[in-house]
Amino acid sequence: MRYGTVWCKSKNNSSSNSSKGQLTIKMTSTGMNMMSRIIFYEDRNFQGRSYECMSDCPDMSSYLSRCHSCRVERGCFMVYDRTNYMGNQYFMRRGEYADYMSMMGMSDSIRSCRMIPMYRGSYRMRMYERENFGGQMYELMDDCDNIMDRYRMSNCMSCNVMDGHWLMYEHPHYRGRMMYMRPGEYRSFMNMGWSGMRFMSMRRITDSFY
């Protein structure tokens, strides 16, 4: 995988032409897709100060005191209501979100975001009934709208994502709270802060989302 350099910048969106409040930050990309871009705004309807990002951002509080609207110009992003990619997660694809808290039922402002690189290739994920890859195991290579119906599996508590990027959902048919899964081992959803939550459907993040 090749790494590059991108620029994230924060600017004052008021009518003043003063350069005060403008800020440019150089960040390192963690993905291959260098074309993704999301712009966050302090107020609804794309008003107030803004912060433009093309990569991961673990803590937006350094750039914006609040965030109530955003615009995804290119690519896909996962946004979080806590810093360091914690808390509730929300998937955002290209489009305008003039009041995303009302649109998506969020109770708090966006605190961090992660860029989802475009991926073209095979998809493969092994999901396990218990923590630490225990219990029944099933391998997925496509979307599954209900693991109970397909596999008679009542719970999924750990997984190993071998290929591709995925979204896992709390309820069947891709509803409820979600979690972004990129390639890696996830030995315990409970230790990741998802205690008591079941994942009942999974969907691939394919290039059709971009």
Side-chain angles (χ1 to χ4, degrees), residues 181-194:
M181 314 293 285
R182 54 187 184 174
E185 294 184 346
Y186 301 85
R187 292 184 170 273
S188 174
F189 296 153
M190 184 177 298
N191 291 341
M192 295 170 61
W194 295 92

Side-chain angles (χ1 to χ4, degrees), residues 85-175:
Y85 321 117
M86 301 295 289
N88 293 313
Q89 309 180 19
Y90 303 86
F91 177 71
M92 290 188 169
R93 58 196 297 184
R94 184 177 179 179
E96 295 188 342
Y97 304 83
D99 184 3
Y100 68 82
M101 293 180 70
S102 297
M103 293 168 61
M104 308 179 76
M106 293 180 66
S107 59
D108 204 351
S109 180
I110 295 172
R111 304 297 181 188
S112 58
C113 77
R114 195 186 290 281
M115 187 269 288
I116 304 174
M118 182 182 289
Y119 173 80
R120 290 189 177 100
S122 60
Y123 287 77
R124 191 157 60 108
M125 174 174 66
R126 289 176 180 168
M127 55 184 185
Y128 298 82
E129 185 182 27
R130 298 173 187 160
E131 294 180 317
N132 296 310
F133 311 136
Q136 290 182 312
M137 185 278 290
Y138 295 98
E139 186 167 299
L140 278 177
M141 300 182 70
D142 58 359
D143 299 348
C144 178
D145 64 359
N146 193 325
I147 62 172
M148 173 65 81
D149 288 350
R150 184 184 292 191
Y151 302 113
R152 295 293 180 261
M153 191 175 181
S154 61
N155 202 359
C156 174
M157 299 187 69
S158 59
C159 75
N160 183 5
V161 178
M162 282 84 81
D163 297 299
H165 297 255
W166 300 72
L167 292 174
M168 299 181 67
Y169 294 83
E170 181 182 19
H171 301 304
H173 307 295
Y174 319 119
R175 295 181 298 106

Side-chain angles (χ1 to χ4, degrees), residues 36-102:
S36 298
R37 181 162 64 188
I38 187 170
I39 305 173
F40 300 97
Y41 298 85
E42 282 186 327
D43 301 321
R44 295 176 177 83
N45 299 313
F46 319 114
Q47 299 297 308
R49 283 170 51 88
S50 65
Y51 170 59
E52 181 181 312
C53 190
M54 302 184 206
S55 183
D56 298 351
C57 181
D59 187 356
M60 288 176 48
S61 62
S62 301
Y63 316 113
L64 295 178
S65 60
R66 61 188 184 275
C67 176
H68 288 288
S69 59
C70 67
R71 179 183 287 116
V72 180
E73 295 193 345
R74 291 190 299 267
C76 295
F77 289 82
M78 212 69 193
V79 299
Y80 305 78
D81 63 9
R82 292 172 57 189
T83 59
N84 297 311
Y85 321 117
M86 301 295 289
N88 293 313
Q89 309 180 19
Y90 303 86
F91 177 71
M92 290 188 169
R93 58 196 297 184
R94 184 177 179 179
E96 295 188 342
Y97 304 83
D99 184 3
Y100 68 82
M101 293 180 70
S102 297

